[in-house]
């Protein structure tokens, strides 16, 4: 009989044999950015998370930098009156995110800025690309995503993160960055395995990006598939992705683990999405779960599966309360 309990007899022993640990360097903290000044607007479905205008965003990024979090991901939230069928507000040279990137980099050049590259929050129909017969037109969307990424890179973004799930989006962005001489300066974090998940609900409230009709199942991945995620990740790597991502995180630990094993040369990011965060928050607020313990266990599980970096709405609170 092999005795495993000797590894668990007391806290010191358990700590000795623990081979997965969290670090503040693992975290990427997401932000929702809006127009205006002095705005810190709570997101009702995500307790503790706010929308920020650029001035308050800069203040908050400086705070999280003092906590040791040096990587942030920006999502733009624009009003309906600037949305149109082509999402032109997304790739303007003075867009909301362009100005936010410049402001953060001016205040804290060491902060690593990731920007989301997708049209969904900027189109009047709420889909991630241009439409043709009520479905996204993949190939006509590609140059617009590439232009959006270029504008972010020109403003100083360290990573652009295409999340539209259009075939060929990484290649198109890489080509545009190379054409502009920015490919050595700005990297691409590909939302490679992004599943058509019900866990995105609170995010769509926060970003005002719900589709006005239909759903996104024709371009986001079917979660009933087993191997497509690895194929998508492999294709993005072939197109030049510097980092890859699996989204959501906890329901897809198997994909994270298999991808990290198959593609060890490329950093893997997992996105603990809004629904995962809201679910834990709601249970904790009701007293059903010990929040500190369940958050720590969840993040450890993501790291143990093979993610090198974790996008999580808990990053700031984790560092403030529990680190």
């Amino acid at each position: 009989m092999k005795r495993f309990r000797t590894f668990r007899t007391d806290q010191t022993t358990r700590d000795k044999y623990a081979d997965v640990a969290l670090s503040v360097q693992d975290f990427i903290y997401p932000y929702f950015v809006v127009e205006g000044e002095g705005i810190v607007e709570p997101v009702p479905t995500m307790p503790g998370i706010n929308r920020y205008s650029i001035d308050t965003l800069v203040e908050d990024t400086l705070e999280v930098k003092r906590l040791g979090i040096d990587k942030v991901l920006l999502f733009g939230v624009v009003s309906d009156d600037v949305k149109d069928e082509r999402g032109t507000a997304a790739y303007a040279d003075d867009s909301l995110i362009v100005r936010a990137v410049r402001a953060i980099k001016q205040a804290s050049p060491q902060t690593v800025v990731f920007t989301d590259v997708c049209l969904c929050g900027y189109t009047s129909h709420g889909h991630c690309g241009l439409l043709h017969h009520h479905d996204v037109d993949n190939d006509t969307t590609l140059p617009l995503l590439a232009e959006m990424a270029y504008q972010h890179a020109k403003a100083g973004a360290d990573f652009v993160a295409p999340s539209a799930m259009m075939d060929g989006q990484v290649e198109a962005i890489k080509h545009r960055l190379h054409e502009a001489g920015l490919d050595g300066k700005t990297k691409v974090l590909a939302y490679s395995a992004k599943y058509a998940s019900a866990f995105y609900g609170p995010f769509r409230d926060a970003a005002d990006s719900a589709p006005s009709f239909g759903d996104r199942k024709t371009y986001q991945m079917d979660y009933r598939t087993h191997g497509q995620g690895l194929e998508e990740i492999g294709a993005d790597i072939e197109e030049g992705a510097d980092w890859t991502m699996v989204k959501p995180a906890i329901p897809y630990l198997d994909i994270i683990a298999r991808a990290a094993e198959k593609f060890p040369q490329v950093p893997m990011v997992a996105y603990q999405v809004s629904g995962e965060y809201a679910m834990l928050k709601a249970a904790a607020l009701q007293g059903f779960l010990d929040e500190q313990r369940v958050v720590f266990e969840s993040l450890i599980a993501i790291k143990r599966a093979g993610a090198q970096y974790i996008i999580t709405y808990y990053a700031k609170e984790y560092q403030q309360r529990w680190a």
Side-chain angles (χ1 to χ4, degrees):
M1 176 174 61
K2 185 171 178 63
R3 294 192 177 275
F4 291 96
R5 289 182 59 194
T6 56
F7 301 131
R8 308 162 194 154
T9 53
D10 53 52
Q11 189 63 47
T12 300
T13 303
R14 291 190 291 273
D15 289 343
K16 176 183 176 181
Y17 287 104
D19 56 4
V20 180
L22 286 176
S23 163
V24 67
Q25 292 301 311
D26 301 335
F27 295 144
I28 302 171
Y29 190 46
Y31 281 102
F32 299 106
V33 190
V34 298
E35 295 283 8
E37 293 183 4
I39 296 173
V40 179
E41 180 182 34
V43 177
T45 52
M46 301 175 68
I49 301 301
N50 304 299
R51 297 186 185 99
Y52 295 90
S53 54
I54 291 175
D55 56 333
T56 58
L57 168 72
V58 170
E59 292 174 6
D60 207 78
T61 58
L62 291 174
E63 180 183 345
V64 301
K65 185 70 164 56
R66 287 190 288 271
L67 293 170
I69 302 167
D70 64 352
K71 292 178 282 294
V72 300
L73 170 60
L74 306 182
F75 295 94
V77 184
V78 300
S79 59
D80 288 344
D81 63 327
V82 300
K83 296 179 181 181
D84 59 29
E85 289 289 313
R86 296 184 60 84
T88 53
Y91 43 88
D93 60 7
D94 63 344
S95 73
L96 175 62
I97 292 302
V98 163
R99 286 177 279 125
V101 171
R102 288 175 180 155
I104 292 172
K105 281 298 187 179
Q106 183 175 6
S108 177
Q110 297 79 27
T111 295
V112 180
V113 178
F114 296 70
T115 62
D116 181 72
V117 175
C118 185
L119 301 185
C120 65
Y122 301 89
T123 57
S124 52
H125 47 71
H127 281 276
C128 298
L130 302 187
L131 295 183
H132 182 65
H133 297 309
H134 271 49
D135 194 10
V136 291
D137 188 330
N138 190 100
D139 292 4
T140 60
T141 298
L142 294 179
L144 304 186
L145 297 175
E147 185 64 19
M148 185 178 183
Y150 161 68
Q151 295 296 344
H152 295 179
K154 187 172 66 167
D158 300 281
F159 283 81
V160 290
S163 63
M165 287 300 286
M166 297 293 108
D167 296 334
Q169 62 185 11
V170 172
E171 183 178 37
I173 288 170
K174 277 287 190 177
H175 177 76
R176 182 69 179 95
L177 295 180
H178 178 74
E179 186 180 64
L182 293 170
D183 50 341
K185 174 178 174 288
T186 301
K187 295 182 172 63
V188 175
L189 163 60
Y191 282 65
S192 301
K194 179 180 179 180
Y195 290 84
S197 173
F199 283 93
Y200 302 147
F203 174 93
R204 290 173 183 168
D205 292 339
D208 192 20
S209 64
S212 58
F213 63 88
D215 54 42
R216 294 172 179 156
K217 292 181 179 179
T218 64
Y219 45 99
Q220 293 179 357
M221 291 184 55
D222 189 331
Y223 53 76
R224 298 172 298 177
T225 61
H226 189 257
Q228 285 183 19
L230 297 185
E231 293 177 10
E232 293 264 7
I233 291 167
D236 280 352
I237 292 171
E238 288 180 8
E239 291 181 19
D242 299 284
W243 293 10
T244 62
M245 185 198 298
V246 173
K247 177 184 181 182
I250 290 292
Y252 299 90
L253 293 178
D254 60 323
I255 305 299
I256 297 170
R258 292 170 63 211
E261 183 175 349
K262 186 169 184 177
F263 306 108
Q265 75 280 14
V266 179
M268 166 61 65
V269 180
Y271 196 150
Q272 187 185 48
V273 300
S274 59
E276 296 175 79
Y277 173 85
M279 182 170 59
L280 297 182
K281 269 291 177 188
L285 289 170
Q286 289 293 322
F288 296 158
L289 294 172
D290 182 315
E291 187 173 17
Q292 178 179 0
R293 291 178 62 193
V294 77
V295 169
F296 183 74
E297 183 177 343
S298 299
L299 295 173
I300 283 288
I302 297 167
K303 185 85 178 285
R304 188 184 64 237
Q308 292 175 248
Y309 300 96
I310 304 171
I311 302 170
T312 175
Y313 298 95
Y314 265 112
K316 180 180 177 182
E317 185 176 4
Y318 183 93
Q319 289 302 121
Q320 287 175 325
R321 296 177 60 189
W322 304 316

